[in-house]
Amino acid sequence: WLVLRGQVVIPPLSQNIKSDYRFNHEVTGALLCLAGLDWLNEVTKLSLKSGKTKYNYDPEDPWKGLLRSEILIFGFKHVFTSPSSVDREPKATCSSKAYLHGMKSVTKGSLAYIATNIRFSLSVLSVFLHTDIVMDSENFYHSILDLLEDPNESEEVVDLMMWW
């Protein structure tokens, strides 16, 4: 789901070695490039690879872009409907996870789950453990869920869930 149907990822991504992921690969780098930046610009690429480019958090609008990205949509479809649904031509041979669990829409828990899995996928870690001390995936998941269930954030959460 990283490239259009029928295309191949060049150079190929290793399934067992993550050192060529993130900004170190043309395809994953383009997906992760911050809004407003041009991934095709070599200076931008070098800045992102080196970690010198930081996301500009807007304290006036902290929900701007939060949990609304193409990579999250692709990840959600891949996990909950079927990998082929990312290509817009579903051809699954069995019921989707969403169907099996009675999901009619994206839930707060499923959104936190996908964000956690995408975060892990793009990390250098090769094994997913809920107790890891580097990524602290369990805390990440619960932090997102706590935010989405915070009554003080209900208006923004309704907007987010409608977007999904």
Side-chain angles (χ1 to χ4, degrees), residues 66-98:
L66 183 65
L67 300 172
R68 300 171 196 230
S69 69
E70 191 172 61
I71 197 167
L72 286 175
I73 294 169
F74 289 166
F76 186 90
K77 286 181 173 184
H78 189 86
V79 170
F80 289 105
T81 56
S82 74
S84 65
S85 71
V86 175
D87 295 329
R88 292 179 178 81
E89 292 182 31
K91 54 182 173 250
T93 57
C94 60
S95 297
S96 70
K97 287 180 180 65

Side-chain angles (χ1 to χ4, degrees), residues 142-157:
H142 286 291
S143 294
I144 292 175
L145 203 52
D146 289 346
L147 174 67
L148 297 176
E149 293 176 346
D150 184 339
N152 295 325
E153 304 294 337
S154 62
E155 186 177 323
E156 290 82 0
V157 173

Side-chain angles (χ1 to χ4, degrees), residues 6 11 39 52 68 86 92 99-101 104 107 114-115 124 129 142 149 159:
W39 176 250
K52 291 181 182 172
R68 300 171 196 230
V86 175
Y99 178 81
L100 291 173
H101 295 286
K104 304 279 188 221
T107 66
I114 290 303
V124 296
L129 300 170
H142 286 291
E149 293 176 346
D159 288 344

